[in-house]
Amino acid sequence: MAIYRFRISFEDFDDVVREIDIKTNQTFEDLHRAIHRSTGYNADKSSSFYVSTDNWIKGDEIALLPNQRKIDNGVTLMENAKLSSFIEDPHQKFYYIYNFERPFDFHVELIKIILENDPNIEYPFLVKSIGEAPKIIDKNNMGSFAATTAAASTDFDFLNEMDFVPEDTEEIEAMGGRGIMAEKKKKK
């Protein structure tokens, strides 16, 4: 049985890449779960693959945990969709959106078709992992991000905006248009 090798990259984080080998008869749900084993994200979030053009324009949708509107419109479900049924090109591309509530967009590209599978490997198999997946901000870890933001606010305040006091406006108005530039003009 043949194996597909997909390169998965974040749309907004070029330095984070995964390569996953998966059997041609496995489903999009298998690929979805393999991606999230490699990123550490919760795989039980509403997500969709879209058959794409070479320019990442989205076509037919293949969904996990779709909303009722998508179900009513007859969306294809990941658990029923075999990868081989959607491969039309040896470099087939899929646009993938993980977690519609706080989405991350991915580019999934078929980069290689391997004719023989290795009987010693359990598929899907993570072949390559480059970079660390970005952290997801949610209600469970919001405190750690708030603490980080608070620490960052002690950085140098270039324009002294943090120390501005409304009483200072009287001093500025009293200068009557004289300022640094006015002093330079007088010296000339």
Side-chain angles (χ1 to χ4, degrees):
M1 174 175 300
I3 301 296
Y4 292 141
R5 178 166 295 167
F6 287 100
R7 176 179 293 128
I8 298 101
S9 58
F10 283 83
E11 184 173 57
D12 297 327
F13 301 93
D14 294 337
D15 56 339
V16 181
V17 177
R18 304 291 186 263
E19 288 184 9
I20 295 175
D21 283 357
I22 189 166
K23 292 180 180 178
T24 58
N25 68 346
Q26 289 185 283
T27 66
F28 278 90
E29 184 176 11
D30 295 326
L31 180 58
H32 163 82
R33 294 194 181 283
I35 291 169
H36 297 300
R37 275 194 302 276
S38 77
T39 59
Y41 297 165
N42 178 0
D44 296 323
K45 299 282 185 181
S46 180
S47 304
S48 289
F49 286 94
Y50 298 87
V51 178
S52 298
T53 66
D54 286 341
N55 297 322
W56 301 107
I57 296 170
K58 296 186 279 188
D60 293 337
E61 182 178 8
I62 305 145
L64 178 76
L65 304 173
N67 60 28
Q68 190 60 46
R69 181 185 55 79
K70 289 181 181 182
I71 293 169
D72 293 344
N73 289 333
V75 72
T76 303
L77 300 177
M78 280 190 204
E79 60 263 25
N80 301 331
K82 299 246 186 261
L83 292 165
S84 59
S85 300
F86 291 86
I87 303 294
E88 301 165 357
D89 179 331
H91 298 283
Q92 182 68 56
K93 294 180 178 181
F94 299 96
Y95 193 91
Y96 173 59
I97 300 175
Y98 165 71
N99 187 6
F100 286 101
E101 292 175 18
R102 292 192 174 272
F104 274 116
D105 296 352
F106 295 82
H107 293 161
V108 179
E109 182 176 4
L110 178 61
I111 59 170
K112 190 175 193 179
I113 299 174
I114 303 164
L115 298 178
E116 300 278 331
N117 68 328
D118 185 338
N120 300 321
I121 294 177
E122 185 177 331
Y123 296 96
F125 177 72
L126 179 64
V127 176
K128 186 187 286 186
S129 179
I130 300 171
E132 185 177 335
K135 302 283 185 250
I136 294 179
I137 302 172
D138 63 14
K139 62 184 174 209
N140 298 328
N141 65 1
M142 189 64 89
S144 63
F145 285 95
T148 305
T149 306
S153 68
T154 62
D155 290 344
F156 180 69
D157 181 16
F158 183 75
L159 298 174
N160 291 324
E161 295 169 324
M162 301 303 287
D163 295 332
F164 179 76
V165 182
E167 291 79 30
D168 291 346
T169 56
E170 292 175 17
E171 291 178 24
I172 294 170
E173 289 172 357
M175 292 176 74
R178 298 180 328 256
I180 296 171
M181 298 305 287
E183 289 177 22
K184 286 182 182 178
K185 289 177 186 174
K186 285 181 184 178
K187 290 180 181 178
K188 288 184 179 181

